[in-house]
Amino acid sequence: MTSSKDTKRALIKQLSRYRETSKESMADIANEIGVATPTIYKWFDKTYLPTEEATDRLKIFLASRNMTTPTARISDQTA
C-alpha cells in the first residue's frame, strides 16, 4: 500500500502538533522515528515528503503517542 501525498502531509501535521505539545527534543523524536533530525525539519519546511518506509515509521511513532486515527495503516512491506 502506497501512502498518498495528502496522507503524508496529514502525518507531518500530526507530528508538528505532537512536537508542539511534547517536551521531547527534535533529536529524540527523529531518533525514535529512525530518521536524521534535519529530515524532520525538511518535512516541516515542505522541502520533501517522507519516503514510504519513513511514513510507516512515522505512523507507528504517532500511534504509540495516540496521535493517529485507527484507520492509519502501515504498508504491506512493513507489515
Side-chain angles (χ1 to χ4, degrees), residues 11-66:
L11 290 168
I12 293 167
K13 280 185 183 181
Q14 288 175 316
L15 181 62
S16 179
R17 280 189 220 118
Y18 175 76
R19 183 180 65 110
E20 290 170 3
T21 60
S22 79
K23 297 190 188 290
E24 289 187 63
S25 71
M26 286 295 282
D28 290 339
I29 293 170
N31 187 43
E32 195 152 346
I33 294 171
V35 298
T37 304
T39 299
I40 293 180
Y41 284 111
K42 289 179 182 178
W43 294 346
F44 289 153
D45 292 343
K46 300 178 184 174
T47 303
Y48 62 84
L49 295 172
T51 63
E52 198 62 36
E53 182 180 343
T55 300
D56 290 341
R57 290 189 212 153
L58 184 52
K59 288 176 184 177
I60 291 167
F61 173 81
L62 290 168
S64 74
R65 302 304 195 274
N66 295 320

